[in-house]
Amino acid sequence: MSRIAYVNGRYVPHGEASVHVEDRGYQFSDGVYEVCEVFGGHLVDERRHMERLQRSLRELRIREPMSRKALSHVLHETVRRNRVRNGLVYLQVTRGVAKRDHPFPGDEVEPAIVVTARSVDPRKAGRSGEKGIEVITVPENRWPRVDIKSVSLLPNVLARQQAEDAGANEAWFVDPDGYVTEGSSTNAWIVDRDGQLITRPADFGILRGITRTVVVELAEKEGLKLVERPFTVDEAREAREAFVTSATKLIMPVVRIDDAVIGNGRPGSIATSLREKFHTLAELDS
Ligand code: PMP
């Protein structure tokens, strides 16, 4: 089946979908994005993703490309046209197309918007969940505004490639004091010897992951003890469990950090149980 992308008001065949050479997203990474999971044909946590998108746009003073309702329609329509039951929908908004110059263009320049959707085989995702993933640690080298979900992801791309080169699946950034900030595209968590969940507070230094927010609520509901504080790499290496969260990986157990095996080298019971229960608490559209 051919894939369809939404580009600035039109649904076009994916292979022909393109943006202008002077799109500021292309030239300056002057834009923001969101990735929502699609589960059984439903968009997962759309409301929270749209709220975060609005915040990212506001922080960068990019206009909203359309109303929330219209945007929701485009997201659903892109999912529908691509016949995605399980997978992802990707949305990107940039400051628009203008003669290349660093300052913002005038108000006549409309933001540019792209939406794509694709299927992901849930069995494949299930298998990684059962096996767990390996992470490496890398020095934090990103700008301080990582709370904005900007398309400027070069340090994240380089860190992730470093992980791939090392035979691992994710890289955790570590700040100069030895504390883990987050993964290249995930939030980082550990479970200590007392069974306490520990994750970095989301006020600054990390992206406030939507999956993270749902897992905080889920942990409370399950009566788990949760502490929002930074943790060190040494603590993580000694942890009973570790895991990462994101809309694409959901709750993914971590079984190795650099050369340290976590727990018994198999996904931990808390991470596995949170993974199984995630969709009971995430908001699914009707
Ligand atoms: N941190 C970073 C740097 C990310 O790119 C992502 C994924 N977008 C996350 C955390 C997890 O966020 P979410 O749960 O909203 O996917």
Side-chain angles (χ1 to χ4, degrees):
M1 194 207 63
S2 58
R3 288 181 66 198
I4 302 290
Y6 175 86
V7 186
N8 295 323
R10 291 169 56 221
Y11 293 94
V12 290
H14 193 267
E16 293 162 28
S18 54
V19 293
H20 196 277
V21 287
E22 286 195 310
D23 186 299
R24 289 179 64 97
Y26 176 60
Q27 296 199 324
F28 297 118
S29 47
D30 189 0
V32 300
Y33 75 107
E34 280 295 329
V35 181
C36 268
E37 185 202 2
V38 180
F39 176 71
H42 300 280
L43 255 68
V44 178
D45 287 315
E46 179 187 349
R47 178 185 62 83
R48 290 183 172 108
H49 282 282
M50 290 306 104
E51 278 168 9
R52 186 171 65 184
L53 174 73
Q54 281 180 326
R55 176 181 182 274
S56 296
L57 290 169
R58 222 172 30 242
E59 292 294 316
L60 297 182
R61 291 160 58 199
I62 298 176
R63 278 208 313 276
E64 286 182 30
M66 57 180 80
S67 71
R68 190 84 84 95
K69 200 164 162 223
L71 191 51
S72 177
H73 178 75
V74 171
L75 293 175
H76 284 88
E77 187 59 16
T78 308
V79 167
R80 192 186 70 76
R81 289 189 187 223
N82 288 282
R83 303 211 180 115
V84 176
R85 281 205 57 77
N86 294 294
L88 317 167
V89 58
Y90 174 86
L91 152 73
Q92 174 174 313
V93 180
T94 70
R95 202 180 303 277
V97 175
K99 186 178 91 204
R100 188 181 184 283
D101 198 7
H102 286 63
F104 297 170
D107 282 347
E108 70 288 357
V109 173
E110 300 278 335
I113 170 162
V114 167
V115 180
T116 56
R118 72 179 164 87
S119 298
V120 173
D121 182 352
R123 284 166 304 187
K124 209 169 147 203
R127 282 197 293 276
S128 339
E130 283 164 24
K131 222 168 117 225
I133 61 162
E134 303 187 2
V135 308
I136 61 163
T137 56
V138 296
E140 177 64 91
N141 61 356
R142 300 173 302 161
W143 74 323
R145 292 309 309 275
V146 295
D147 56 300
I148 301 171
K149 200 162 169 57
S150 117
V151 293
S152 185
L153 291 170
L154 193 51
N156 310 57
V157 166
L158 295 177
R160 177 60 195 276
Q161 185 57 41
Q162 203 178 321
E164 297 289 323
D165 293 345
N169 320 85
E170 176 59 306
W172 280 3
F173 290 110
V174 181
D175 73 15
D177 299 319
Y179 291 96
V180 173
T181 53
E182 63 180 335
S184 71
S185 64
T186 56
N187 289 120
W189 300 68
I190 57 170
V191 180
D192 73 7
R193 296 284 159 124
D194 301 323
Q196 287 194 126
L197 269 77
I198 304 171
T199 196
R200 193 178 176 104
D203 16 8
F204 67 97
I206 67 167
L207 181 77
R208 186 182 288 274
I210 304 299
T211 321
R212 178 192 178 285
T213 302
V214 175
V215 171
V216 166
E217 285 179 10
L218 189 54
E220 270 165 26
K221 191 167 161 250
E222 295 292 307
L224 296 166
K225 181 122 177 45
L226 169 84
V227 190
E228 290 188 64
R229 67 161 174 83
F231 59 84
T232 63
V233 176
D234 286 343
E235 271 183 279
R237 292 168 66 96
E238 294 295 315
R240 188 201 280 181
E241 292 186 30
F243 62 93
V244 296
T245 54
S246 75
T248 47
K249 290 202 163 72
L250 304 178
I251 292 121
M252 180 60 69
V254 169
V255 293
R256 179 189 279 271
I257 299 171
D258 295 326
D259 58 354
V261 172
I262 306 306
N264 62 3
R266 310 250 325 130
S269 58
I270 292 183
T272 303
S273 146
L274 290 170
R275 184 177 172 87
E276 284 163 6
K277 290 176 182 152
F278 176 75
H279 288 113
T280 62
L281 215 72
E283 288 176 8
L284 305 187
D285 62 4
S286 49

